[in-house]
Amino acid sequence: MKQMINIALPKGRLGEKVYSILEASGFECPSIREQNRKLIFENEEKGVRYFWVKPSDVVIYVERGAADIGIAGKDIILEYSPDIYELADLGIGKCRMAVAAKKDFCDRRDGVLRVATKFPNIARNYYNSQSRDIDIIKLNGSIEIAPILGLSDVIVDIVETGKTLYENNLEPKQDIVDISAILIANKVSYKFKNAEINGICEAVRKNLNL
Amino acid sequence: MTPSKDVLRSDERAIYALRELYRKFGYSQYRVGKFEEYDLYARNKSFLVSENVLTFTDTNGKLMALKPDVTLSIVKNISFEEGVTHKLYYNENVYRTSAESHGFKEIMQTGLECVGDVDIFAESEVVMLALRSLESISNDYILDISHMGIVEGLLDSEDTQGADRDDILGYVKSKNTAAMKKLAASGRISEKLCDTLCKMTQMYTTLAQSLSIIEEFVTDGKMRAAYDELRHISDTMSIYGLSDKLYFDFSVVNDCNYYDGVIFKGFINGIPDSVLSGGRYDRLLLKMGKKCGAIGFAVYLDALERFGKEQIEYDTDVLLIYDTDTESKSIIDTVKLLSDSGKTVKTARRADEFVRYRQLLKIGKGGIEILETND
């Protein structure tokens, strides 16, 4: 018997793109394109069930087995370090995690560095590896405004083109890590639904020439 | 008296089933106290899953801990004699932090330790008991096995340095082949090692089927010994008739660095986390100054709590309503009559919305009256 695979998609542009890839790989679910307020979309024939969740929640759904597989940004995986399998790097949604600050800012390492970020764990790990004392200011959005208003010295955030930074008189100072979308799987689902998950994984790999 | 099936929760049922299983193979119960001197854990931090230990000061000023682990308490007390094997099991509560609850959690754990002169037969028996433990919980189970000798052998084959090694182990654990390829592209490991690691992590079949592939990658004596051990276990499991449930999974690696031989993790379909974990940990005993073998595993019963829980439709079969002027004797007689016919009875003065019942009876002067029947 073919088992249904629950797939958590991140809401937003990345999720749309990922769904297009899955669709092109043979796991389409036409009802998802319809304009309605449904939350779960199913294609029994292909054995897939999709649902949209907040991007940072994908890892939680997958780690706890509510979703068998999902697509999450590497930034989310690094931040929450969930116990999951990272089956494929899809190479889309590419950007980087970087330290940014005002153009004229220079870290003289003579005091505690104030860091504003949405990713406290990534920031802490990065500065720990440099033995740097920091004060983390956890924000939930509009991080760029923090150094401008003097709330923080630097920010640790995702940089795609850097346009927002430059327009606000900021610039990226150091890169921390490259980010892209990762196909992740629940460890137990991978065992009990191995054929199905591998099937999806292989089809996606082939479609993307990975 | 054996309690009827619906009285026990699935984790409680599992405890009895596991005890029976371990006793059948001559394992005896070992009880340890709830508290242990903190010092024991401070000295063996790397053996613990988490470094967080719940501590308190004893009346004499000594720093004590609520046990985060039972194995340490057992092996510390065991004396070693040539040719003697201690076969023990335990059923205790341990206290650990959990990432989800952001605090300490009481976890009920049943486990088994085989310490002393542990030969390959005793080791295989422990693996068999791990498989049977899972079987006693559900028929849809898998035990993943790997061997640290193979993992370490592969990493030793190249000059992998400390930080790189931790990274690679992390990638192996999450089957992250993309990151391994990046590591190879940056020249930190060779293409050949990367290839081997990728092949090993992507392989997922029964141990019996994996052996021929594993053998291809055996290079040195350490790996050969590990391979032979796995082969022997695989052969023994086929005698027990369990080999189709034993899978080789290279991504099963140490959470702590004491496991140094076979290492395994058990899963049940429907529970999103591993329910059993164990392995061979001679290194811990060596560190404690005892030169002998040790292998064991623990079953995490808290994970079973929500498993196989049927929705209970009714709280009671009969809700029996009585008046203030009803005689006690007639209530007692009615309850006895109903419960003798196998029904559960709750007595109350009036029916309220919190009790779900199959049948609502009223006992009055004129006898018993059926007010409502749901079925």
Side-chain angles (χ1 to χ4, degrees), chain A residues 3 62-66 74 82-89 178 180 182 186-188 190-194 198 202 205 210, chain B residues 100-101 140-142 144 171-178 182 201-204 247 249 251 267-274:
Chain A
Q3 303 189 73
V62 173
E63 187 181 26
R64 294 192 164 227
K74 185 74 186 173
D83 191 19
I84 41 111
Y85 287 138
E86 294 178 38
L87 296 182
D89 185 338
D178 287 329
S180 54
I182 313 281
N186 175 272
K187 286 193 164 181
V188 182
Y190 182 83
K191 293 163 206 311
F192 291 100
K193 299 179 178 174
N194 191 263
N198 265 338
E202 278 312 309
R205 277 211 188 102
L210 291 177
Chain B
E100 299 103 52
S101 66
D140 201 0
Y141 68 96
I142 280 176
D144 281 351
Y171 300 151
V172 166
K173 202 173 153 191
S174 58
K175 290 195 190 275
N176 191 346
T177 50
K182 258 185 215 156
T201 43
Q202 280 178 329
M203 171 167 71
Y204 191 65
Y247 278 63
D249 188 340
S251 75
F267 302 90
I268 301 248
N269 198 359
I271 301 177
D273 210 345
S274 67

Side-chain angles (χ1 to χ4, degrees), chain B residues 69-241:
Chain B
D69 170 274
V70 186
T71 308
L72 276 172
S73 307
I74 292 181
V75 295
K76 125 187 137 153
N77 293 320
I78 279 198
S79 60
F80 176 63
E81 280 169 63
E82 190 86 36
V84 176
T85 316
H86 300 275
K87 295 186 173 185
L88 309 161
Y89 75 88
Y90 60 86
N91 182 206
E92 304 280 344
N93 283 330
V94 295
Y95 303 85
R96 289 184 182 169
T97 49
S98 82
E100 299 103 52
S101 66
H102 303 285
F104 282 96
K105 222 176 130 184
E106 187 181 51
I107 299 171
M108 205 199 319
Q109 208 181 64
T110 281
L112 174 153
E113 311 291 345
C114 179
V115 189
D117 206 338
V118 182
D119 60 6
I120 185 73
F121 177 75
E123 184 172 309
S124 303
E125 191 182 70
V126 171
V127 175
M128 178 275 289
L129 285 168
L131 282 155
R132 286 269 158 84
S133 301
L134 294 167
E135 195 181 49
S136 71
I137 297 163
S138 161
N139 282 325
D140 201 0
Y141 68 96
I142 280 176
L143 186 73
D144 281 351
I145 194 166
S146 183
H147 198 297
M148 287 315 288
I150 294 188
V151 185
E152 281 168 2
L154 278 175
L155 295 184
D156 287 344
S157 70
E158 261 168 50
D159 196 21
T160 44
Q161 299 296 323
D164 268 359
R165 218 181 158 103
D166 288 347
D167 281 349
I168 297 170
L169 280 176
Y171 300 151
V172 166
K173 202 173 153 191
S174 58
K175 290 195 190 275
N176 191 346
T177 50
M180 292 182 207
K181 282 175 186 151
K182 258 185 215 156
L183 219 54
S186 66
R188 283 157 71 191
I189 55 170
S190 73
E191 290 286 339
K192 188 172 159 258
L193 178 61
C194 172
D195 231 40
T196 311
L197 289 172
C198 287
K199 258 190 205 136
M200 293 283 262
T201 43
Q202 280 178 329
M203 171 167 71
Y204 191 65
T205 51
T206 60
L207 176 62
Q209 285 169 321
S210 311
L211 282 169
S212 59
I213 303 166
I214 302 171
E215 195 175 16
E216 277 177 44
F217 300 116
V218 170
T219 47
D220 59 356
K222 188 174 168 187
M223 286 174 80
R224 168 62 56 186
Y227 167 78
D228 286 340
E229 217 173 302
L230 284 179
R231 205 196 52 210
H232 192 281
I233 289 171
S234 172
D235 292 347
T236 318
M237 288 318 119
S238 69
I239 300 173
Y240 284 119

